[in-house]
Amino acid sequence: MAEAFLVDGVRTPIGRFRGALAGVRPDDLAALVLEAVVSRSGVDPAQLDDVIFGAANQAGEDNRNVARMAGLLAGFPDSVPGITVNRLCASGLSAVHLASSMVKSGEADLVIAGGVESMTRAPWVLAKPETAFSKPGEIADTSIGWRFANPRFAERDKATLSMPETAEEVADREGISREDADAFALRSHQAAVSAGESGTFAPEIVSVPTRSGTVSDDEGPRADTSLDVLAGLRSVVRPGGVVTAGNSSSLNDGAAAVLVASESAVNRLGLRPRARIVGGASAGVAPEVMGLGPVPATQKLLARQGLGIDEVDAVELNEAFATQSLASIRLLGLDPEIVNRNGGTIALGHPLGASGTRILITLLGRMEREDARRGLATMCVGVGQGASLIVERV
């Protein structure tokens, strides 16, 4: 089978909900990173075989195949197709995995993969009445979570728990304490603040022009948080519970993209790949413990590649919640010191469709700075899934 290489990657800053990127449409955010990744790599867009973008919402301005829309907005030739995929939180990571599979099978040479989400601009949606002259149906905020759930799911206990409820379920099952969760969240913020101040993220970020000025930095990391501040936040699921707004990821806006190339394209175009995509895998878990998804996905991937967890040098684990992150680290036997060394999603933010590509881009930068050979990007997925991807530096 042919090899697939990551040539370059770029992301926008991550904006807070109703924050600095609130005025920017998701298709424009996606177009911006598409333009940036071809500019950085020097590839002629006309040579692209496809654009694959992940998006979890797809109910508003990101509807009607945002990958295709963004390609047109980026000025790509009409001949470059696009497809949008949805694996909720792992949409951006699955987009890269699909692109690599196309390249490895010989059905593509150059594919841009990525993801986008504007949770700020996600619309309210209204169900159509089932009969004429009926009152309006159910109304739902599409920013996150279940909407218009099939009543048959009621037959399965806990199937439609909210995301915080699933995180509390993991805390109960795996014995994660409030103190452990808050300490993990504090580490995420401290590491992300340090990375931002030192310019660690600067090479992976493309600035976003807005009506209020240019946005170049992530909005989420909080330099003023502390264990006392985090301990003072109330539990969001039940009194005395573990999960709080402070040890959970937030609602965010952003986009990210990478260029995936075959070996023949690398040689023909004189490209300089940053890593080889070793492989990817996805797995399912019970919906009520969706946060444990990284465990079977990573175990499946390691087994398929004949690798041990000790052969992974750097890990970017999407921090949907501190509880599921800690549980996944423990169950996989990961060294916490190699996980999210520059902070994670709790601090940086979680624009759903973009996060999988974002953690992969951050992983590439870490591997180069740390002279790491092999890296793992992994994340949990709502409704009970996990996705993982392993890359090697070249």
Side-chain angles (χ1 to χ4, degrees), residues 19-50:
L21 300 183
V24 186
R25 292 173 56 109
D27 47 2
D28 285 328
L29 288 173
L32 182 69
V33 292
L34 288 180
E35 292 179 77
V37 80
V38 296
S39 175
R40 291 190 181 199
S41 62
V43 167
D44 180 354
Q47 297 175 305
L48 294 170
D49 292 299
D50 217 336

Side-chain angles (χ1 to χ4, degrees), residues 44-270:
D44 180 354
Q47 297 175 305
L48 294 170
D49 292 299
D50 217 336
V51 173
I52 307 176
F53 248 60
N57 196 322
Q58 302 181 49
E61 296 162 343
D62 51 3
N63 77 97
R64 299 292 293 170
N65 191 358
V66 70
R68 173 62 172 170
M69 303 304 181
L72 295 173
L73 290 167
F76 289 3
D78 293 348
S79 58
V80 179
I83 181 172
T84 302
V85 299
N86 189 346
R87 201 190 294 273
L88 298 180
C89 303
S91 298
L93 195 64
S94 291
V96 179
H97 186 197
L98 289 170
S100 71
S101 297
M102 290 172 63
V103 168
K104 289 181 178 183
S105 70
E107 295 190 347
D109 277 323
L110 288 171
V111 181
I112 293 182
V116 64
E117 208 77 50
S118 175
M119 300 176 81
T120 295
R121 299 177 72 87
W124 291 84
V125 293
L126 183 67
K128 289 182 177 180
E130 293 188 7
T131 59
F133 309 110
S134 296
K135 293 181 179 180
E138 178 185 349
I139 188 170
D141 181 354
T142 66
S143 294
I144 193 171
W146 287 86
R147 46 189 183 264
F148 309 128
N150 192 311
R152 292 170 58 195
F153 279 118
E155 301 170 8
R156 175 170 177 159
D157 185 41
K158 301 180 180 180
T160 58
L161 291 184
S162 69
M163 292 296 98
E165 288 173 330
T166 68
E168 197 74 48
E169 190 79 11
V170 169
D172 289 344
R173 184 174 299 194
E174 300 300 328
I176 307 297
S177 71
R178 170 71 182 269
E179 291 74 21
D180 286 345
D182 286 349
F184 184 88
L186 179 62
R187 174 185 179 268
S188 183
H189 279 282
Q190 290 176 334
V193 168
S194 177
E197 291 176 345
S198 65
T200 298
F201 294 132
E204 66 190 48
I205 291 178
V206 58
S207 297
V208 180
T210 74
R211 291 189 296 267
S212 303
T214 300
V215 181
S216 301
D217 300 311
D218 298 312
E219 281 194 283
R222 296 180 180 273
D224 59 348
T225 196
S226 66
L227 284 179
D228 286 341
V229 169
L230 291 168
L233 299 175
R234 68 175 183 85
S235 170
V236 297
V237 175
R238 63 170 186 260
V242 175
V243 179
T244 72
N247 57 42
S248 307
S249 60
S250 52
L251 307 186
N252 298 94
D253 311 326
V258 296
L259 177 63
V260 182
S262 67
E263 186 172 8
S264 63
V266 166
N267 294 332
R268 184 175 71 255
L269 301 174

